[in-house]
Amino acid sequence: MILPSHAQTMSVPFLDLPAQYADLKEELRPHLDAVLDTSAYILGAYAEQFEQAFSRFLGVRHVIGVANGTDALLLSLKALGVGPGDEVITAANSFVATAEAIAHAGARPVFVDVDPDSYTIDVGRVEAKISPRTKALIPVHLYGQPADLASLEALAKSHGLSILEDAAQAHGATYRGRPIGGFGDAACFSFYPGKNLGAYGDAGAVATNRDDLASTLRKLRDHGGVKKYEHELIGFNSRLDGLQAAVLLVKLKRLRQWNERRAAHATRYTARLSGTPGVQLPTVRDHATHVFHLYVIRVPAQHRDGLRAFLQGYGIATGLHYPVPLHLTQAFAALGYRPGDCPVAESCARSVLSLPMFPELRAEQIDYVADRVQRYMKEHV
Ligand SMILES: Cc1ncc(COP(=O)(O)O)c(C=O)c1O
């Protein structure tokens, strides 16, 4: 491995939430005070305002704020009637929450390999996994790139399946000119702090155009009812809290601009890195906009960890999304998957590297990162 020959010249974090807060502080504080002054800690006026604002942003009829993105998935599956004995098909390359929610609903996750260019579910492999028990498909808009929704919608229609979009990484991405979030029966968002739209704690939401699902979800998130002590269903405690809603309402106004900056950073990375030996760069699917929650490159597996350590030596933080594919995750061992079952996802797990990506990233930081990636790869490939 090459070691840095001189002192580190720049530090590039993976993301920089303090920088974002410094920019928002003045605007945000009065809203946080308003929540504290009225003790509207759980749901309340800010939650309602945010739900309305986010539903306008997405162009969907309803947004239901919940406690986190994992609950958004779980409650949606419950609202769709998914339960024991059912199967739900999803991508093998995602954060573990997608599969956890299916399992917590009592259903069996069925993993499908991903497409080697977009890293989203390989729709050509879905049909072979549909069984009489299949109830729903969960495409994951991974890294901020919409899945192939047109093909999935056609499949879902012909087999009578529900579609639940896992949009946790793709706030503001579009597909065929429309924001993702309104394509399936429902779409689930996470507002984990590092997301493109992030709260200052855990938060999540479900978007849906279906009035029946919206009504059930409003009950499920709040102990099974919308009126105090009227518990129509066995529900959950999964409500959006007021402070998080105030943060999200303020931040939502900046989301488009932040996404544009992310896209510009991605364009710069791609221009600087194209032609680098051994480096596969992200692609954007036709008819889609990618909001680059993550900028993920692939390098030959034998060089990935060396490159990562080399960048670390230059003060550059990177991430792995994700180091173990879902079908081989220990928690799902009982499902009986084996290495080789989803070869593209397995290869991604060994070869992906997420480079620093956040709106406040500076051009010279991108150039510094790209230059170090090039140096290492030219030396080793
Ligand atoms: C693809 C995906 N699905 C689901 C989740 C779960 O969201 P949360 O962390 O808000 O529960 C996340 C985020 O962490 C995610 O990236």
Side-chain angles (χ1 to χ4, degrees):
M1 186 185 100
I2 320 168
L3 287 169
S5 55
H6 53 80
Q8 169 186 320
T9 54
M10 205 186 275
S11 157
V12 191
F14 190 64
L15 82 172
D16 192 350
L17 293 178
Q20 195 189 70
Y21 178 60
D23 190 34
L24 286 168
K25 198 170 184 169
E26 216 175 301
E27 190 182 344
L28 201 51
R29 280 292 173 162
H31 295 284
L32 298 180
D33 285 341
V35 176
L36 297 171
D37 288 340
T38 56
S39 352
Y41 299 126
I42 303 211
L43 294 173
Y46 271 102
E48 276 171 34
Q49 276 185 63
F50 171 69
E51 289 176 342
Q52 284 163 16
F54 198 46
S55 78
R56 282 195 298 275
F57 177 89
L58 296 174
V60 293
R61 285 170 61 81
H62 308 280
V63 166
I64 300 97
V66 296
N68 55 66
T70 311
D71 280 4
L73 288 161
L74 172 58
L75 270 56
S76 299
L77 287 166
K78 290 268 189 191
L80 286 166
V82 172
D86 295 334
E87 292 178 357
V88 176
I89 293 176
T90 194
N93 187 18
S94 182
F95 182 58
V96 70
T98 317
E100 278 175 330
I102 299 169
H104 283 308
R108 183 185 176 87
V110 174
F111 299 113
V112 170
D113 209 354
V114 293
D115 164 68
D117 295 319
S118 67
Y119 313 128
T120 59
I121 194 164
D122 184 344
V123 182
R125 293 176 188 274
V126 172
E127 195 152 29
K129 298 286 179 90
I130 296 175
S131 83
R133 287 186 290 276
T134 310
K135 272 279 174 63
L137 308 174
I138 306 188
V140 182
H141 304 311
L142 198 73
Y143 310 148
Q145 160 109 286
D148 179 2
L149 286 162
S151 312
L152 286 165
E153 278 177 333
L155 261 184
K157 200 167 173 198
S158 66
H159 291 271
L161 307 175
S162 303
I163 293 185
L164 184 56
E165 297 175 68
D166 184 337
Q169 302 186 0
H171 322 71
T174 63
Y175 182 78
R176 295 187 191 263
R178 278 166 51 209
I180 60 100
F183 285 87
D185 294 80
C188 298
F189 290 87
S190 163
F191 306 121
Y192 180 78
K195 298 292 198 241
N196 289 34
L197 179 61
Y200 290 165
D202 277 314
V206 184
T208 182
N209 282 313
R210 282 181 51 179
D211 298 347
D212 60 331
L213 287 184
S215 159
T216 305
L217 283 159
R218 286 187 197 288
K219 293 173 192 163
L220 282 177
R221 73 171 172 185
D222 197 5
H223 299 292
V226 287
K227 289 200 185 126
K228 205 166 189 178
Y229 303 127
E230 285 185 19
H231 313 289
E232 300 168 46
L233 307 169
I234 300 176
F236 296 81
N237 176 358
S238 185
R239 302 163 297 207
L240 179 61
D241 87 55
L243 286 169
Q244 304 312 336
V247 171
L248 291 167
L249 190 63
V250 169
K251 284 189 162 197
L252 181 59
K253 287 186 260 168
R254 315 254 183 132
L255 180 59
R256 277 205 180 88
Q257 179 199 332
W258 284 336
N259 281 345
E260 280 164 18
R261 280 200 219 149
R262 287 174 181 272
H265 298 336
T267 303
R268 190 173 186 102
Y269 266 132
T270 295
R272 294 289 186 280
L273 287 170
S274 68
T276 307
V279 174
Q280 183 183 334
L281 298 169
T283 55
V284 181
R285 126 167 317 122
D286 288 345
H287 313 298
T289 55
H290 188 321
V291 289
F292 288 97
H293 172 55
L294 296 168
Y295 186 90
V296 179
I297 62 169
R298 280 177 78 192
V299 297
Q302 69 272 27
H303 298 305
R304 198 265 310 271
D305 293 344
L307 171 62
R308 195 169 189 218
F310 177 76
L311 296 176
Q312 183 68 47
Y314 277 98
I316 298 164
T318 56
L320 303 181
H321 300 90
Y322 293 93
V324 181
L326 293 179
H327 65 295
L328 300 181
T329 297
Q330 194 185 342
F332 296 103
L335 296 175
Y337 286 89
R338 295 277 168 266
D341 285 343
C342 298
V344 179
E346 290 165 36
S347 156
C348 285
R350 293 187 293 265
S351 60
V352 287
L353 188 66
S354 308
L355 301 181
M357 173 54 85
F358 51 92
E360 298 76 15
L361 196 61
R362 298 192 309 274
E364 64 268 25
Q365 290 177 308
I366 295 171
D367 296 350
Y368 175 78
V369 174
D371 176 70
R372 271 40 180 199
V373 171
Q374 265 178 356
R375 268 199 223 172
Y376 187 88
M377 296 309 288
K378 279 185 183 153
E379 182 83 12
H380 288 81
V381 178

